[in-house]
C-alpha cells in the first residue's frame, strides 16, 4: 500500500530551483513527476531521488515551447488523479535591454514563462477544485514588482505570473485549493549564465543559495502564505505595497476624468 502524500508535478525540474523542489518534496514523502527538456538529466534525477527517498519519481521529457510537449503535460494534469501539487517553475530570463534582445528569443521566453504556466494552471485547477484540495505554486520573481531591474520582457512575463496568481487567489478562496506565488531575488543557479550575466559578476550579498531559496519558499507554504519573497527581510514592505494597491482599486475606473486633466489645471 502506497504511503505517498500525493504526487507533485514540477516543471523545469532538471536543475536549479526545480531540482531542489523535487528533492525537498521527495524528502517529505511525495511522489514526483519531473518535467524538463533534458531527458538524460531528468532520468538521473529520478533515479537518485527514488533511491534516496523511497518515492516514485517519473521523468517526463517535454519542451514547453512545443505545443505537443505542452499538451502532453496538460493531459497528464487532467487525467492523473494522484497529482496534488503543481509547481510552475520552468522559465528563463534575459538581462539585455529591448534594443539588444532578439525578438524571436523574447517570444520563446513568453511561451515558456507565460503560456506554459497559464495552460498548466488551466489543466490542474479544475481537477483540484473537483477534489476540493490541491496546491498551485507559481514561481515568479522580484522583477514582477520591479520589471525595470532586468530585461523588460522578462520582467513583464514575471509580472504576468504574479497577476495570474493574484487573480487565482481571489477566485479560489474558500475552495480548498491553495495558491502560492514565490518571488525569488538573485539565486545561485545557471539562470544567470543562460541570461548572459554570469552569477560570479553579481555582488555575493545579493545571491541566495538555491537550497535556502527553496527551503524558505516551502516554509512560506507551510505557513499558508500567498506571496513568499525569501529575500525580503521586512514583510511589512510587501504588505504596505499590497495595501496601497487595494486602496487604489475602487478609484481606478470612473465616468469622469480627474480634475488635474481639466483645462484650468493644465493651463
Amino acid at each position: 500500500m502506497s504511503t505517498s502524500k500525493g504526487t507533485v508535478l514540477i516543471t523545469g525540474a532538471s536543475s536549479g530551483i526545480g531540482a531542489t523542489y523535487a528533492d525537498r518534496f521527495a524528502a517529505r514523502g511525495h511522489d514526483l513527476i519531473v518535467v524538463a527538456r533534458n531527458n538524460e538529466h531528468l532520468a538521473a534525477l529520478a533515479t537518485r531521488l527514488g533511491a534516496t527517498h523511497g518515492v516514485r519519481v517519473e521523468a517526463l521529457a517535454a519542451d514547453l515551447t512545443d505545443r505537443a510537449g505542452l499538451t502532453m503535460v496538460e493531459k497528464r494534469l487532467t487525467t492523473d488523479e494522484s497529482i496534488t501539487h503543481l509547481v510552475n517553475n520552468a522559465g528563463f530570463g534575459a538581462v539585455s535591454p529591448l534594443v539588444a534582445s532578439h525578438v524571436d528569443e523574447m517570444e520563446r521566453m513568453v511561451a515558456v514563462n507565460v503560456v506554459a504556466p497559464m495552460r498548466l494552471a488551466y489543466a490542474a485547477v479544475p481537477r483540484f477544485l473537483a477534489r476540493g484540495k490541491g496546491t498551485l505554486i507559481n514561481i515568479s520573481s522580484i522583477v514582477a514588482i520591479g520589471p525595470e531591474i532586468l530585461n523588460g520582457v522578462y520582467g513583464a512575463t514575471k509580472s504576468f505570473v504574479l497577476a495570474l496568481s493574484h487573480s487565482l487567489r481571489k477566485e479560489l478562496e474558500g475552495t480548498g485549493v491553495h495558491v502560492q506565488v514565490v518571488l525569488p531575488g538573485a539565486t545561485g543557479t545557471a539562470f544567470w549564465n543562460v541570461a548572459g550575466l554570469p552569477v560570479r559578476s553579481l555582488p555575493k550579498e545579493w545571491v541566495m543559495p538555491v537550497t535556502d531559496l527553496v527551503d524558505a519558499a516551502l516554509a512560506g507554504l507551510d505557513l499558508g502564505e500567498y506571496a513568499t519573497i525569501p529575500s525580503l527581510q521586512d514583510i511589512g514592505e510587501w504588505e504596505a505595497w499590497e495595501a496601497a494597491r487595494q486602496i487604489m482599486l475602487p478609484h481606478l475606473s470612473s465616468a469622469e476624468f480627474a480634475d488635474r486633466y481639466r483645462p484650468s489645471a493644465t493651463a
Side-chain angles (χ1 to χ4, degrees), residues 10-261:
I10 305 169
T11 65
S14 60
S15 63
I17 291 174
T20 305
Y21 261 108
D23 177 76
R24 297 307 195 252
F25 270 117
R28 291 179 172 213
H30 290 272
D31 291 332
L32 302 172
I33 300 172
V34 288
V35 179
R37 290 181 301 168
N38 192 311
N39 188 51
E40 182 179 348
H41 288 176
L42 280 180
L45 178 71
T47 299
R48 177 174 61 82
L49 294 182
T52 301
H53 300 293
V55 297
R56 179 180 62 84
V57 185
E58 178 183 348
L60 187 62
D63 182 350
L64 298 183
T65 66
D66 175 69
R67 183 48 61 93
L70 184 55
T71 299
M72 177 174 63
V73 182
E74 290 178 84
K75 184 176 180 181
R76 189 58 181 272
L77 285 164
T78 59
T79 59
D80 190 334
E81 293 286 351
S82 75
I83 296 174
T84 55
H85 296 63
L86 166 62
V87 182
N88 269 324
N89 167 71
F92 68 94
V95 298
S96 301
L98 183 143
V99 295
S101 304
H102 196 290
V103 67
D104 291 340
E105 187 69 1
M106 296 301 99
E107 184 176 10
R108 191 171 79 88
M109 182 191 296
V110 170
V112 177
N113 294 10
V114 172
V115 176
M118 177 197 69
R119 292 192 64 95
L120 297 184
Y122 264 86
V125 168
R127 279 285 183 179
F128 292 165
L129 278 173
R131 189 185 301 130
K133 62 180 179 179
T135 300
L136 173 63
I137 301 172
N138 288 328
I139 307 301
S140 180
S141 167
I142 60 165
V143 301
I145 299 172
E148 69 274 25
I149 294 173
L150 296 176
N151 172 275
V153 177
Y154 175 61
T157 66
K158 291 304 183 176
S159 295
F160 174 89
V161 173
L162 178 59
L164 178 65
S165 301
H166 267 308
S167 179
L168 286 174
R169 179 198 187 193
K170 180 178 180 181
E171 183 178 330
L172 299 171
E173 187 175 7
T175 65
V177 180
H178 180 63
V179 177
Q180 182 197 29
V181 61
V182 180
L183 289 78
T187 308
T189 70
F191 166 93
W192 295 99
N193 295 332
V194 175
L197 181 64
V199 70
R200 65 178 179 275
S201 66
L202 298 175
K204 290 182 179 180
E205 60 270 22
W206 287 6
V207 182
M208 183 177 292
V210 65
T211 51
D212 289 355
L213 180 282
V214 174
D215 287 342
L218 288 172
L221 181 68
D222 294 340
L223 290 169
E225 284 187 347
Y226 155 64
T228 299
I229 311 176
S231 297
L232 186 65
Q233 298 298 321
D234 183 359
I235 193 61
E237 294 175 0
W238 162 265
E239 292 169 347
W241 184 80
E242 177 64 11
R245 195 180 69 85
Q246 293 294 334
I247 289 170
M248 281 193 295
L249 286 180
H251 310 131
L252 292 174
S253 183
S254 172
E256 297 184 4
F257 55 75
D259 288 345
R260 65 182 175 277
Y261 302 122

